[in-house]
Amino acid sequence: FASSAPGGFAAGDVLPPPPPALASTGMEQGALAVAAMLGEAPPADGARGAAANFPCGMWTVPEASYYGLTLAKARERGLACDEGVARFEDCLRGRVFAPRGLLKLVFDVGSGTILGVHIVGDDAAEMIHYGMALVQQRATLAHVIQSVFVAVTYHELFKVAALDGNSKLEFGLQWRT
């Protein structure tokens, strides 16, 4: 966060893209800038790591949020990956309250590790934190499939997307071990 001016640092909306310009992001960037001013090295990962570690939520209509890699970015990096998709109408809450929406899990086809989460629809900015945890913890599709989600919540969509992703794998993850 050092600027071109000696001893000057920047955070928040004055930074160029790609970091999302959000209040929560700006607060974290400010903490990183202060740490840099004091000569402290930022952690390699975690909540105060690189800007890529910030979740993004947009309170548009519909809401949109993301964390981690898109399918295109993962493939650009040479990763063998695919995505599992769930439509909001695939869960009861979505069918009743907001059937238009989409949740995607980008995953590594060799291990099933979740690399990115992308959500468009009601409460997308609320749900992205669970997706961020999945990516940061290097969770797999199998972890999500084995989880029990409270009905009637949009979080059930994570399991639907994981099952969709699993169906795209040769024999599914359960047969690989």
Side-chain angles (χ1 to χ4, degrees), residues 87-101 122 151-154 156-157:
R87 289 170 178 61
F88 273 41
E89 65 192 22
D90 293 337
C91 76
L92 182 57
R93 185 177 184 101
R95 281 194 297 277
V96 172
F97 296 108
R100 286 185 254 179
D122 280 18
V152 175
T153 67
Y154 289 123
E156 293 177 290
L157 294 168

Side-chain angles (χ1 to χ4, degrees), residues 71 75 81-85 104-107 118 161 164-165 168:
L71 184 62
R75 288 182 175 163
C81 53
D82 206 336
E83 61 188 10
V85 178
K104 292 183 178 184
L105 298 177
V106 177
F107 62 91
H118 311 278
D164 179 61
K168 296 175 181 179

Side-chain angles (χ1 to χ4, degrees), residues 8-57:
F9 293 82
D13 291 348
V14 297
L15 293 179
L22 305 169
S24 55
T25 304
M27 289 176 10
E28 290 298 319
Q29 291 171 344
L32 289 168
V34 169
M37 284 185 258
L38 299 174
E40 297 177 14
D45 57 11
R48 294 188 177 230
N53 285 337
F54 293 132
C56 186

Side-chain angles (χ1 to χ4, degrees), residues 3 13 25 33 38 42-43 46 55 59 62-63 69 71 78-80 93 108-109 122 130 136 139 142 146 152-153:
S3 72
D13 291 348
T25 304
L38 299 174
W59 289 267
E63 278 184 34
L69 297 175
L71 184 62
L79 300 172
R93 185 177 184 101
D108 177 88
V109 296
D122 280 18
Y130 177 64
Q136 287 181 340
Q146 294 166 3
V152 175
T153 67

